[in-house]
Amino acid sequence: MKIKKAIQIQLGIYRRLLRNELPAMVFLGDGRTATLGDEVDPVVDEFITGMRALLDLPQQPAVRYSHSKCRICPYDAHCRPDFEAKEDISLLYGIHGKAAEHLAEAGISTISQLAMSTVESIPDVPYLKGNKRKHRAILQAGSFLSGKVFQLNKAALPEGTWIHFDIEDNPLTPDRERHVYLWGFLVPAYTRENFDYVWTDDETGDYDGWLGFLQKIEEYRSNYSPLVLAHYSNHEKATIRQYAERYAMKNHPTVTWLLGDDSPLFDMQNPVLDCLVLPLQGYGLKDICKHPDLVNFQWENEESGSQWSVVQFNRFRLETDLAEKQKLKTEILRYNRDDVIATRRLEVWIRKLFL
Ligand code: SF4
């Protein structure tokens, strides 16, 4: 099995820093693990030599912004002012660093220049081809500069009673595929008290949790027809598919309904991506909801997030003190409750926008 080079380097360096002879263990997310030992030394040496050469340069090398890498990089505060001062096009959502390079060669090197461009004046460059993408890039530049929201199309939202849905799963599930420890819902009238969920304490309850989820869906189906099960991103649907395969239940009537042509599942990220251009660098649920000029919904626990939830759940699994265990569970439930309240607020915000 081939482990990504970046992970080989990262773990190889940790082993070296720790002066540890033990192999590093990689959790592959599907229940399997892999180990990395001395065999990764050549790529680690190559990386360290390359880094030393960079450090010896008299000037900082030219770089482009990458939202996924820079926002979690400890040097973000150092690099960002320079990107912003230059109005680097790679700061924009959907603009790859390579596209920014090619646009600069074509004379479009700042966000202002891109905002003033026309679709016809932008050449086809890698990662930015076709009128639709170019039109979006121009609006994204305008939105970045002005803070305005642009509407591309009218969002078509399905009719019915909406129930908001979000899951929390554990990529560190020992010796098996990831376990969904929490299937969370927000039902009408959409207040905090209307949070509903299926919880399992550990992976031994995986099957029961899945059955509990299917039962909940059937309850909602009979109480709220037609039902819309709204979620943000494809993760919920993909997870239902994985569970159906895991327990050989693809033909279960609830599963065929959830995954079939008349599915009640509705991914709210689709209308956002298809219909809106927002003054954001990422189109995740938290990016949109936390922004004070957009949805402006704040999670009760500012530190919470999906990775935070995984850490709390793994602490919960190991905790032996019952009071502490209950406290951890309550915090995880609150976080998931805020996630589904956020998708509800997003729904309301989108409806207002398209009135
Ligand atoms: S913040 Fe700077 S150092 Fe960090 S990934 Fe981005 S460009 Fe590289």
Side-chain angles (χ1 to χ4, degrees):
M1 173 191 328
K2 185 88 181 119
I3 306 290
K4 275 189 196 163
K5 195 172 170 187
I7 293 176
Q8 293 184 26
I9 293 169
Q10 184 187 6
L11 295 182
I13 287 178
Y14 291 165
R15 288 183 79 231
R16 212 167 278 193
L17 288 173
L18 292 167
R19 298 179 198 282
N20 198 320
E21 298 298 311
L22 291 170
M25 187 174 280
V26 187
F27 289 88
L28 298 171
D30 58 2
R32 292 177 303 157
T33 54
T35 52
L36 295 174
D38 296 343
E39 71 283 4
V40 300
D41 280 351
V43 284
V44 173
D45 289 338
E46 186 194 340
F47 174 81
I48 291 173
T49 309
M51 281 293 140
R52 289 211 168 106
L54 273 180
L55 282 173
D56 286 342
L57 288 176
Q59 279 179 337
Q60 218 175 281
V63 281
R64 295 282 177 185
Y65 181 79
S66 156
H67 191 58
S68 60
K69 295 191 177 97
C70 297
R71 83 195 148 115
I72 50 167
C73 175
Y75 292 101
D76 187 50
H78 169 78
C79 297
R80 185 177 284 270
D82 195 38
F83 289 130
E84 289 179 348
K86 287 185 192 150
E87 280 196 29
D88 195 308
I89 291 176
S90 62
L91 283 168
L92 297 175
Y93 171 77
I95 303 286
H96 193 281
K98 288 260 184 306
E101 303 273 327
H102 287 276
L103 288 178
E105 281 165 21
I108 305 170
S109 43
T110 67
I111 295 174
S112 296
Q113 285 172 335
L114 180 60
M116 286 186 299
S117 303
T118 59
V119 166
E120 296 72 30
S121 68
I122 300 177
D124 267 354
V125 297
Y127 300 97
L128 190 62
K129 292 192 170 102
N131 287 358
K132 209 171 154 190
R133 283 191 149 199
K134 290 176 193 171
H135 178 57
R136 199 180 168 110
I138 293 167
L139 292 181
Q140 193 63 65
S143 180
F144 183 93
L145 295 171
S146 65
K148 272 193 198 156
V149 171
F150 292 101
Q151 296 179 16
L152 297 169
N153 307 300
K154 189 158 171 44
L157 301 180
E159 301 278 333
T161 304
W162 284 47
I163 287 181
H164 292 264
F165 167 47
D166 181 65
I167 61 169
E168 308 298 334
D169 55 10
N170 183 15
L172 305 178
T173 307
D175 305 324
R176 56 162 90 185
E177 292 162 293
R178 35 171 87 200
H179 160 229
V180 174
Y181 50 92
L182 177 55
W183 310 78
F185 308 92
L186 188 71
V187 303
Y190 311 114
T191 68
R192 288 174 170 198
E193 287 65 44
N194 300 117
F195 175 58
D196 197 10
Y197 61 87
V198 176
W199 167 277
T200 39
D201 279 354
D202 60 36
E203 59 281 1
T204 59
D206 191 65
Y207 182 58
D208 289 340
W210 163 242
L211 292 185
F213 162 71
L214 294 177
Q215 196 183 341
K216 237 343 129 209
I217 295 298
E218 282 306 330
E219 265 172 43
Y220 297 150
R221 190 182 187 179
S222 58
N223 293 342
Y224 305 102
S225 184
L227 173 68
V228 177
L229 210 48
H231 53 100
Y232 197 87
S233 93
N234 191 40
H235 184 55
E236 277 67 22
K237 193 166 193 175
T239 302
I240 292 170
R241 200 170 280 126
Q242 283 163 11
Y243 265 77
E245 278 174 21
R246 187 178 304 174
Y247 295 114
M249 286 171 70
K250 278 197 213 157
N251 296 325
H252 185 284
T254 314
V255 174
T256 53
W257 181 56
L258 285 171
L259 299 178
D261 293 339
D262 293 329
S263 173
L265 290 165
F266 179 66
D267 182 353
M268 293 184 68
Q269 197 173 32
N270 291 334
V272 169
L273 292 176
D274 294 346
C275 307
L276 296 172
V277 176
L278 305 171
L280 294 171
Q281 291 185 303
Y283 280 55
L285 179 66
K286 291 183 180 69
D287 298 311
I288 302 173
C289 289
K290 287 186 176 181
H291 194 295
D293 299 330
L294 302 177
V295 179
N296 193 18
F297 170 75
Q298 310 307 327
W299 275 248
E300 203 170 84
N301 181 347
E302 278 179 25
E303 286 175 7
S304 62
S306 52
Q307 289 178 5
W308 170 92
S309 177
V310 170
V311 172
Q312 304 314 309
F313 181 70
N314 283 286
R315 284 179 60 201
F316 169 89
R317 286 176 76 251
L318 298 173
E319 184 58 63
T320 49
D321 181 282
L322 287 184
E324 190 56 32
K325 213 170 165 70
Q326 185 55 44
K327 202 169 139 227
L328 287 164
K329 180 175 170 180
T330 304
E331 283 178 14
I332 297 168
L333 289 173
R334 271 197 198 137
Y335 162 66
N336 184 259
R337 179 206 64 194
D338 281 0
D339 269 357
V340 285
I341 292 178
T343 61
R344 165 66 183 170
R345 297 287 174 87
L346 176 63
E347 178 208 339
V348 172
W349 181 76
I350 292 177
R351 286 188 192 282
K352 269 198 200 137
L353 210 57
F354 289 98
L355 266 183

